[in-house]
Amino acid sequence: MTYPARAVVDLDAISSNVTALADRAGPAAVMAVVKADAYGHGLVPSARAALAGGATWLGAAQVDEALALRAAGIGAPLLTWLYAPGAALDQALLAGIDVSVSAAWALDELLAAVRSTGRTARVHIKVDTGLGRNGVMPDELDALLGTALRAQAEGACAVVGIWSHFAWADAPDHPTVLAQAEVFAEAVALAERRGAQLEVRHLANSAATLTNPSVHYDLVRPGLAVFGLSPVPELGTSADYGLTPAMRLEAELALVKQVPAGHGVSYGHEHVTSGPTTLGLVPIGYADGIPRHASGTAERRGAPVQVSGRRLGIAGRVCMDQFVLDLGPGATEQAGQTVELFGTGADGGPTAQDWAEVVGTISYEVVTRVGTRLPRVHVGSAGVAG
């Protein structure tokens, strides 16, 4: 491996996080959501680590992600839910993947895949309880259920789940949370009155798993928390919830050099040295997922990094492939020395949440945007095999 940076992913941390989430969720089962390449952590190794930690389900938004899990030999119950007309639902059925349905056209395409494959579809109906995103509207649920249950009577499908997603789960006392919970309870009751034999009712994401036991139902669906990041940083840190961030992003200094006072740094000279100093070049940039908003200017300190036990801010603009640190006068760092962009924070270094606060985003985006050309180095024993 010659790339001068990497995302080091601790599989044991993922496993431990799932165990902590399962303890909070009990008796509800845990679906570890591993969409978006497991939030940037690596799809297959992360999924295996989550299962090793006690997850009994996996969730993958895109059909291709779910198929990749099956191709890797992972046989755990698996749900996929985000697709457009023409998706490979036949392949999903052949792979034994549960499929979510949110509209009549989706159920029609799924039943067509049943006819072409001869496989019975396991269906989860998603209800829009107030998020205004994916999901059937409550006043259209009865008709969709009717079609699905008629198909079930013919042996074409089995309606095994009803589910939804919160708009504001990171604020557990927000009025929308109670309102959505009520709409969801009504949807479940309707499905059961119509004769659906539901195996799982699921509503809770990471935030609700941690803060709202009343909506755990049969299954919780943590995503971000599986990877050790707090979905509710205003209410508690990762450590407060017994979670350990699983990703450490690091790079090697590619160049260290002395410059005089008044020397401009990077495009636009938004950082100018106040005196003779040492600059260090970090060879990753926005092509690797480092946000340009992490740049340091005269008005704003750049995103934090740690080098030699010191926390510094990015100096000047983040470029496509690199950014600069002002290491200070008399700095002793040399090319090849490791710079930690973010990690667990246990060593005093920055975390993904620290980056999120500087950049003006959420930790979800910080980890999922880490670029694909950065190698993922998986460490720890959890889920490496099996």
Side-chain angles (χ1 to χ4, degrees):
M1 186 180 300
T2 59
Y3 205 79
R6 67 211 57 84
V8 180
V9 176
D10 185 346
L11 298 177
D12 291 339
I14 292 174
S15 182
S16 176
N17 293 334
V18 172
T19 300
L21 291 163
D23 288 344
R24 284 182 174 269
V30 174
M31 173 191 288
V33 176
V34 291
K35 63 181 181 177
D37 194 32
Y39 288 62
H41 291 68
L43 177 64
V44 172
S46 297
R48 288 178 170 151
L51 293 170
T56 55
W57 284 75
L58 296 172
Q62 302 286 345
V63 175
D64 284 354
E65 296 171 326
L67 290 171
L69 290 169
R70 285 291 190 253
I74 295 175
L78 173 58
L79 174 67
T80 190
W81 59 86
L82 191 60
Y83 52 89
L89 300 183
D90 53 346
Q91 295 181 43
L93 294 184
L94 290 171
I97 297 167
D98 288 18
V99 178
S100 177
V101 166
S102 296
W105 71 260
L107 182 58
D108 289 344
E109 292 207 4
L110 185 59
L111 294 176
V114 169
R115 292 189 291 272
S116 68
T117 62
R119 298 292 184 91
T120 300
R122 287 173 50 87
V123 176
H124 299 233
I125 295 179
K126 186 172 187 184
V127 183
D128 182 353
T129 56
L131 178 57
R133 215 170 58 173
N134 199 14
V136 61
M137 294 299 292
D139 60 357
E140 298 174 352
L141 174 59
D142 190 51
L144 188 62
L145 271 169
T147 304
L149 291 171
R150 285 191 294 273
Q152 178 172 289
E154 298 169 357
C157 72
V159 179
V160 299
I162 296 286
W163 71 296
S164 190
H165 197 68
F166 281 119
W168 225 312
D170 51 346
D173 295 326
H174 196 275
T176 62
V177 174
L178 178 59
Q180 284 192 257
E182 291 175 349
V183 174
F184 184 73
E186 292 168 0
V188 168
L190 173 61
E192 291 174 341
R193 285 198 307 271
R194 292 296 306 265
Q197 301 297 311
L198 300 177
E199 296 177 17
V200 286
R201 302 160 297 164
H202 46 112
L203 178 59
N205 57 0
S206 285
T209 299
L210 293 170
T211 66
N212 195 348
S214 68
V215 295
H216 285 177
Y217 283 96
D218 310 297
L219 184 68
V220 297
R221 301 188 316 269
L224 185 76
V226 167
F227 307 101
L229 301 174
S230 172
V232 284
E234 301 84 0
L235 302 179
T237 65
S238 296
D240 291 333
Y241 294 113
L243 306 174
T244 301
M247 181 187 290
R248 183 177 76 253
L249 186 62
E250 62 182 31
E252 280 88 41
L253 289 170
L255 177 69
V256 177
K257 64 183 182 181
Q258 306 298 314
V259 298
H263 198 289
V265 177
S266 194
Y267 291 126
H269 287 181
E270 293 184 348
H271 177 88
V272 177
T273 61
S274 59
T277 192
T278 306
L279 300 181
L281 185 68
V282 182
I284 55 175
Y286 59 77
D288 302 288
I290 308 303
R292 289 187 78 242
H293 279 85
S295 302
T297 69
E299 294 78 26
R300 188 188 71 174
R301 182 178 175 86
V305 306
Q306 181 161 282
V307 57
S308 304
R310 299 186 294 139
R311 191 182 281 213
L312 305 170
I314 293 175
R317 288 187 191 171
V318 173
C319 308
M320 183 180 291
D321 306 292
Q322 55 202 287
F323 64 82
V324 179
L325 300 175
D326 188 337
L327 299 170
T332 59
E333 285 80 17
Q334 298 180 358
Q337 192 156 342
T338 298
V339 175
E340 181 184 29
L341 282 76
F342 58 78
T344 66
D347 60 354
T351 65
Q353 180 61 33
D354 292 330
W355 273 67
E357 291 171 4
V358 170
V359 174
T361 185
I362 54 177
S363 60
Y364 300 71
E365 184 179 1
V366 172
V367 292
T368 58
R369 72 181 296 158
V370 173
T372 56
R373 72 177 181 178
L374 278 175
R376 269 57 171 179
V377 178
H378 294 99
V379 300
S381 59
V384 172

